Amino acid sequence: MVGLQSAEGFLLAGDACSFDRKCSCTTNRIDCSYRYLTEMSNFTNYNRHADYIGLNFNFITSLPANAFATLFSASSRRILIRLDHNRINTVDANAFTGLPSNVNVDLYLNDNNLQTIPTSLEKIPGLYSLYIQNNPLTNIDVLTTLGPSLRVFSVSFSKLQSWPSQLQNLTNVSHLTLDKIPFKTISSDALKSVDSLTSLTITDSELAQVPDAICLMKDMQLFYFNNNKNLNSSKNLLMPCPGYALNYVSFVDLSNNDLSSFPNVFDVFPSVRRLQLIDNDIHYIDPDMLPHNVMVERLYMGGNKLKRIPGTVSRFSALNQLFLANNDIATIEDCDLPGLHSLEMLDVSNNPLEYISKFALKDSHLLNRVELGNTNLRKIPIALSGHAKLSYLNTTGSPIECDCSMAFLRAALPLDIQGSCVSSSQTINDYISSSLTGCP
């Protein structure tokens, strides 16, 4: 038996493979990841079939002809081949010959040294997903023939000199990731034939704003726009689509963009239910950026520069989860969270929080989880009293003084409180069960 780190990062135990003792073989699975391989293993004499081939995180530089020809069965339901995080720069024209025609194949070639998408991929009749980002691609011509078969495609553009017209061949793709776009703008018809998308990710680009090319994605449900550091404006980050909105989009992630203010998300995505604005530089939420009734149910604004919870949060009337960790919030006042009747989860951990006003949570009767870890709070806030559904409170890392001011918590038991008393090693849970009985 050998123990290896799998592609997913877990330790697996399996029989050492007959073709290479460094690899681990289990039922329908070959795992040669993290084994310092400099060339492909020879699978020719391996007389079992596999649905998973893990060759990722090695030092392989080339793929020979018929590299996988003997491994796969037409009875497989799906095949996953991981060749990512190597140094591959050469792929034989027949490297993928022999893969069955009626089986979907997910192929990971990301994080290598490929300058073109290999023409050998045309030999994979069931190629469903192709991940080829973080390669120094100078052209993607093979998409002319390969594009229509793909459903998932992820690519980096850092070395391209112009917008690739070959993208118009991705007529059936549903999940598209465009990484490192080196242009400040792209035309409104740049994605004109890719209108079947349900998920679009744009990351690490030079774009000055979200491109209006997204307006063609009328069936899109998920939109990610992350790590784009050259934006001209936060408020006008998105250009409204002419005469209509993208009403099917329910998830928007605009994290890590150095936004200084809350963007005009709802001009384009009026029906978004989950909104992520993590790790920006947002100081406030301009009420002009919000409709009177916001439909967002989960709002993630951790890692910003908020000094107080913006009063405009009260417009998020459907909100049930609010994440505000890692900001500069020092107090929560009675007027900060009014009208949040659906709020179930509040995270204000890792803030310099000194106190929470007594009636700050008076409208949030459904509250069941509160994160107050690593704050400057010295008392468990009385604002938490009377919340019958409260089941979990985390104060880990906050200097909580355990005394009779906690007596109100007796009515909240059983309540799982994570954290310890600042003056002893006693957990708060232990203090409540052993010492509160003597309090009036």
Side-chain angles (χ1 to χ4, degrees), residues 67-86:
F68 309 99
T70 63
L71 288 178
F72 302 113
S73 167
S75 63
S76 298
R77 288 181 295 180
R78 196 171 192 124
I79 293 170
L80 173 61
I81 304 174
R82 293 204 60 169
L83 290 158
D84 54 283
H85 295 90
N86 277 285

Side-chain angles (χ1 to χ4, degrees), residues 365-382:
H365 302 297
L366 299 180
L367 199 63
N368 62 54
R369 184 184 180 102
V370 178
E371 296 282 348
L372 298 175
N374 295 303
T375 69
N376 294 331
L377 289 171
R378 303 191 68 83
K379 303 285 185 181
I380 292 183
I382 192 72

Side-chain angles (χ1 to χ4, degrees), residues 338-376:
L340 299 185
H341 298 286
S342 299
L343 191 65
E344 298 177 7
M345 197 279 186
L346 175 64
D347 185 353
V348 287
S349 59
N350 295 289
N351 277 283
L353 192 61
E354 299 282 349
Y355 77 91
I356 299 176
S357 185
K358 182 177 180 179
F359 299 109
L361 303 171
K362 66 182 186 304
D363 293 332
S364 302
H365 302 297
L366 299 180
L367 199 63
N368 62 54
R369 184 184 180 102
V370 178
E371 296 282 348
L372 298 175
N374 295 303
T375 69
N376 294 331

Side-chain angles (χ1 to χ4, degrees), residues 315-360:
R315 293 194 189 179
F316 291 75
S317 56
L319 200 65
N320 58 52
Q321 296 186 13
L322 177 59
F323 296 84
L324 296 171
N326 296 292
N327 276 280
D328 298 318
I329 299 169
T331 67
I332 301 179
E333 306 291 347
D334 291 345
C335 58
D336 288 344
L337 296 168
L340 299 185
H341 298 286
S342 299
L343 191 65
E344 298 177 7
M345 197 279 186
L346 175 64
D347 185 353
V348 287
S349 59
N350 295 289
N351 277 283
L353 192 61
E354 299 282 349
Y355 77 91
I356 299 176
S357 185
K358 182 177 180 179
F359 299 109

Side-chain angles (χ1 to χ4, degrees), residues 269-306:
F269 308 118
S271 303
V272 61
R273 295 294 194 276
R274 178 172 171 176
L275 177 60
Q276 296 191 171
L277 291 157
I278 301 166
D279 292 333
N280 284 290
D281 293 318
I282 298 173
H283 293 75
Y284 69 103
I285 301 178
D286 187 337
D288 290 341
M289 295 294 103
L290 304 179
H292 285 290
N293 290 304
V294 183
M295 301 174 70
V296 171
E297 296 171 353
R298 297 183 184 183
L299 177 61
Y300 298 78
M301 290 190 66
N304 279 282
K305 299 295 177 59
L306 297 172

Side-chain angles (χ1 to χ4, degrees), residues 185-336:
T185 61
I186 61 176
S187 69
S188 58
D189 63 352
L191 300 171
K192 62 181 179 181
S193 298
V194 199
D195 53 6
S196 61
L197 282 182
T198 58
S199 175
L200 174 61
T201 299
I202 298 174
T203 184
D204 290 295
S205 78
E206 298 295 324
L207 292 170
Q209 66 179 168
V210 175
D212 60 359
I214 68 169
C215 289
L216 299 175
M217 312 294 117
K218 294 185 179 181
D219 295 323
M220 185 165 61
Q221 300 170 26
L222 312 173
F223 179 63
Y224 303 79
F225 189 77
N226 310 126
N227 298 301
N228 303 287
K229 305 298 186 180
N230 292 315
L231 304 176
N232 287 336
S233 170
S234 295
K235 288 188 175 182
N236 298 314
L237 179 66
L238 300 106
M239 294 296 292
C241 299
Y244 61 92
L246 299 178
N247 289 309
Y248 292 110
V249 175
S250 61
F251 175 93
V252 174
D253 186 351
L254 300 174
S255 300
N256 292 289
N257 289 311
D258 290 342
L259 301 177
S260 59
S261 59
F262 197 94
N264 61 327
V265 177
F266 305 105
D267 288 347
V268 180
F269 308 118
S271 303
V272 61
R273 295 294 194 276
R274 178 172 171 176
L275 177 60
Q276 296 191 171
L277 291 157
I278 301 166
D279 292 333
N280 284 290
D281 293 318
I282 298 173
H283 293 75
Y284 69 103
I285 301 178
D286 187 337
D288 290 341
M289 295 294 103
L290 304 179
H292 285 290
N293 290 304
V294 183
M295 301 174 70
V296 171
E297 296 171 353
R298 297 183 184 183
L299 177 61
Y300 298 78
M301 290 190 66
N304 279 282
K305 299 295 177 59
L306 297 172
K307 295 185 181 299
R308 282 191 60 176
I309 297 177
T312 45
V313 168
S314 62
R315 293 194 189 179
F316 291 75
S317 56
L319 200 65
N320 58 52
Q321 296 186 13
L322 177 59
F323 296 84
L324 296 171
N326 296 292
N327 276 280
D328 298 318
I329 299 169
T331 67
I332 301 179
E333 306 291 347
D334 291 345
C335 58
D336 288 344

Side-chain angles (χ1 to χ4, degrees), residues 50-51 53 66-74 76 78-81 83 94-107 120-128:
D51 297 333
I53 310 294
N66 302 305
F68 309 99
T70 63
L71 288 178
F72 302 113
S73 167
S76 298
R78 196 171 192 124
I79 293 170
L80 173 61
I81 304 174
L83 290 158
N94 294 306
F96 295 98
T97 298
L99 272 73
S101 61
N102 61 337
V103 180
N104 288 337
V105 177
D106 301 314
L107 177 61
S120 57
L121 301 190
E122 296 173 330
K123 303 288 181 65
I124 308 177
L127 188 58
Y128 186 93

